[in-house]
Amino acid sequence: MPARTPLDAERDHLAASRAALRAMRADAEALDIGDVTANWVNAEVLRSEIEQRIKSLADLADTPLFFGRLDYLRDLDADGEHGHRFYIGRRHVHDTGGDPMVIDWRAPVSQPFYRASKQDPRGVRLRRRFGYDGGELTAYEDEHLLDPGEGEEERPSALLQREIERPRVGPMRDIVATIQPEQDEIVRAALSGTVCVQGAPGTGKTAVGLHRVAYLLYSHRERLARSGTLVIGPNRSFLRYIEQVLPALGELEVRQSTVDDLVAHVPVRGTDSAAAARIKGDVRMARVLRRAGRAGGRMPSEPVVVVRGSRRWRVPAYELEQIVRELLDRDIRYNSAREALPRRIAHAVLVRMEEAGEAPDDRTQNAVARTPAVKAAVKEIWPPVDPAKLVLRLLSDAGFLAAHSEGVLTPEERAGILWEKPPRGVASARWSAADAVLIDEAKDLVERTGSLGHVVLDEAQDLSPMQYRAVGRRCSTGSATVLGDLAQGTTPWATESWAAALAHLGKPDAVVEELTRGFRVPREIIAYASRLLPAIAPELAEATSVREAAGSLRVRRVADGTGAAGLDDAVVAACREALEHEGSTGLIAADARIEALADALAAAGLSHLAPGEETSREARLTLVPASLAKGLEYDYVVLDEPAAIVAGEPDGRTGLRRLYVALTRAVSGLTIVHAAPLPRELATPAPASSPAG
């Protein structure tokens, strides 16, 4: 009988841990709450919590239950072995006696797995990483952090490198086994503070943001259960791509949304020109809306006379005006002031009653506030405001817009946002996405927007100031994690400064962290894409990569004279080559080229999916419009005609930023196929290339 190896022992622990997890789930399923709760409402709440608990205890067969082990330097145990050994995994698992078999990666005792080093071992004598094939444990790798014989220089982990480079098909997966020290610092930052992460492509900023949500929910479960959390992405394709990360970490109830979904108070059926959208997204529009919102009311010109029995109580117009001005000076929400006004008028009546020798109480004040005379005065002085109707009037009534944007917008800017053909009403208006944000701003002027405990905002560089304000309202009493890359800003209103963006968000004191060390994009590819940085974001440091992948970049020029068909054929051939490798392939092209390439792929017998569909079906090839490529990643990328991607944007700088995004989506290999000359920023110095056609 062959001697048992350490790997056998680890497999035994894995099997025992899985059995313990099944027992934990069985215990949860067997709970009887019939006589526990006082009423059916409490019973339903408890039943829902138990159902969530059961879901979170699912054992995913192809997902490692633990990925690391920490052996702490402590007193020897009875068997002569070092004690305090912890297995680090995605969730906590304990045996029937309550002793931990797997420690949640978010627990404080797990932190050294990500942070310990030979320079700072944190009491860890051995760190072990495990390698898996599916759910089967196949290898391990040890780091003896206190052993001087291994030298002072840290050797890169082969298992960690393999996990980073593992082919990916389908949705984004977690990086819990590969989190790096600089990423872990951001993940575990305090809930009370807002963190902004400027991250170059491949630095894992999106994954860091999602793992931060999971960490905060672990550390502040009750608080965030009350106040709520939200992940905001740039589009629904992106949200479908990331939707499995948090459930894999045991967090099932985190809401995900786009900014457009957050402000969907009206159906969006229209589009703005870039110039109009830029003006509507400018923070100055908040001042315009504020002025317009206050214009609905009017100063009283008549007294209020309240009849109580045989007595008549009169509040003169000048005193009413004083009440109104005091409410305006308090700068409270429109509806809050409107609700306070009748009580203020009633209070003025009660003062007169007391002066006349009566003894009114709170019930009298409430009754006076509900009298027809007071109600009529409130309706006249402070009429109800409909946010959509307010914005509709601003965008369709030139005089109204001019009156409330005087000194804020220029005449040319006002003309640029006015509708040529004013709609008949809110329902018939062809609202744009920028209009919906204005309505959200107006709605908040009328009534306070509810605030969440924590918001993660990804691809934040593409938001307008007014969109930042919309997000900021959702975390005004909470905190945020802001993720983005200034070099990848591709909207006409993309932010040029995190300081300005955070001020619009209402978090000017946020800490800005910069991630420049890449783990996803090979060094050859990121170096090539970084040639664009002097033109698109000269203030940013060039990203580096820990991954060496010689030959990962190929640039192919289609032979002259072959025309569009020759380019399409060369792209199809490059896709076939990419599909020979394991993993996913993304064909990224200018939006205007998508239809032609779809036809070429179909003619060649290559089936493909659209972005986001990979999460529901096994996919090898995805055809990706350049406008939707941001945040996505593929093992191999075929990039069609860079010049067309640049030309598809309203200006050259935005076009180069869009190209920068497309160039940095590859995890293992990038093939660029072009017929038109490359942008000069890429063409000099020219990389090794080969003709195609």
Side-chain angles (χ1 to χ4, degrees), residues 554-612:
R554 298 179 180 179
V555 181
R556 297 179 177 175
R557 176 75 181 267
V558 175
D560 293 338
T562 58
L567 177 60
D568 294 348
D569 290 344
V571 168
V572 169
C575 289
R576 287 191 188 280
E577 290 181 20
L579 290 169
E580 292 175 0
H581 301 280
E582 185 182 2
S584 60
T585 295
L587 169 55
I588 303 178
D591 292 33
R593 286 271 296 154
I594 293 299
E595 185 176 350
L597 289 173
D599 292 342
L601 292 174
L606 293 179
S607 60
H608 65 275
L609 300 177

Side-chain angles (χ1 to χ4, degrees), residues 29 119 159 163 175 214 231 257 273 288-289 408 431 455 465 542 688:
E29 291 172 334
Q119 290 72 34
L159 287 180
E163 172 63 21
I175 62 165
V231 175
S257 177
S273 67
V288 175
L289 285 166
V408 180
W431 299 104
V455 170
E542 182 175 333

Side-chain angles (χ1 to χ4, degrees), residues 39-57:
N39 53 58
W40 70 270
V41 175
N42 291 343
E44 285 299 312
V45 172
L46 182 56
R47 184 175 292 109
S48 175
E49 291 178 352
I50 291 174
E51 288 176 355
Q52 291 301 315
R53 168 73 171 167
I54 292 170
K55 288 181 182 178
S56 70
L57 291 171

Side-chain angles (χ1 to χ4, degrees), residues 291-338:
R291 289 182 181 179
R294 290 192 170 196
R298 53 189 62 87
M299 287 298 172
S301 58
E302 299 291 335
V304 171
V305 179
V306 176
V307 178
R308 293 279 296 174
S310 61
R311 303 291 300 270
R312 294 163 60 88
W313 307 98
R314 182 176 183 274
V315 182
Y318 76 84
E319 188 170 345
L320 293 174
E321 180 176 342
Q322 184 178 2
I323 292 172
V324 171
R325 292 195 182 281
E326 287 177 354
L327 288 173
L328 288 172
D329 290 343
R330 286 182 59 192
D331 200 26
I332 58 179
R333 297 293 194 291
Y334 190 91
N335 276 0
S336 296
R338 193 170 187 272

Side-chain angles (χ1 to χ4, degrees), residues 203-407:
T203 54
K205 56 185 177 294
T206 296
V208 165
L210 295 175
H211 287 67
R212 176 159 166 72
V213 171
Y215 171 77
L216 293 176
L217 286 169
Y218 175 88
S219 302
H220 308 277
R221 178 79 56 189
E222 291 186 7
R223 177 177 173 183
L224 290 178
R226 293 192 303 269
S227 58
T229 54
L230 174 67
V231 175
I232 303 175
N235 52 60
R236 292 177 184 174
S237 295
F238 178 83
L239 293 179
R240 287 195 294 271
Y241 177 64
I242 68 170
E243 65 184 355
Q244 296 303 318
V245 173
L246 287 168
L249 297 172
E251 302 300 339
L252 306 174
E253 296 299 314
V254 179
R255 182 185 166 204
Q256 298 183 358
S257 177
T258 65
V259 174
D260 289 344
D261 290 336
L262 284 183
V263 300
H265 308 300
V266 292
V268 173
R269 298 192 295 265
T271 56
D272 286 313
S273 67
R278 188 182 292 109
I279 298 168
K280 291 178 180 179
D282 194 294
V283 72
R284 292 174 297 162
M285 288 301 298
R287 292 176 57 194
V288 175
L289 285 166
R290 189 173 189 82
R291 289 182 181 179
R294 290 192 170 196
R298 53 189 62 87
M299 287 298 172
S301 58
E302 299 291 335
V304 171
V305 179
V306 176
V307 178
R308 293 279 296 174
S310 61
R311 303 291 300 270
R312 294 163 60 88
W313 307 98
R314 182 176 183 274
V315 182
Y318 76 84
E319 188 170 345
L320 293 174
E321 180 176 342
Q322 184 178 2
I323 292 172
V324 171
R325 292 195 182 281
E326 287 177 354
L327 288 173
L328 288 172
D329 290 343
R330 286 182 59 192
D331 200 26
I332 58 179
R333 297 293 194 291
Y334 190 91
N335 276 0
S336 296
R338 193 170 187 272
E339 292 168 1
L341 180 58
R343 295 188 60 82
R344 291 294 187 88
I345 297 174
H347 177 74
V349 172
L350 262 64
V351 169
R352 284 161 173 76
M353 289 181 175
E354 291 170 347
E355 290 173 347
E358 296 191 15
D361 56 18
D362 288 345
R363 289 175 297 178
T364 305
Q365 183 175 3
N366 292 336
V368 171
R370 293 194 297 268
T371 58
V374 173
K375 286 184 176 180
V378 171
K379 185 176 181 179
E380 177 70 19
I381 297 169
W382 225 298
V385 169
D386 183 300
K389 289 181 179 178
L390 176 65
V391 175
L392 177 70
R393 187 179 179 190
L394 268 178
L395 299 179
S396 57
D397 185 334
F400 187 70
L401 176 60
H404 298 294
S405 63
E406 181 66 33

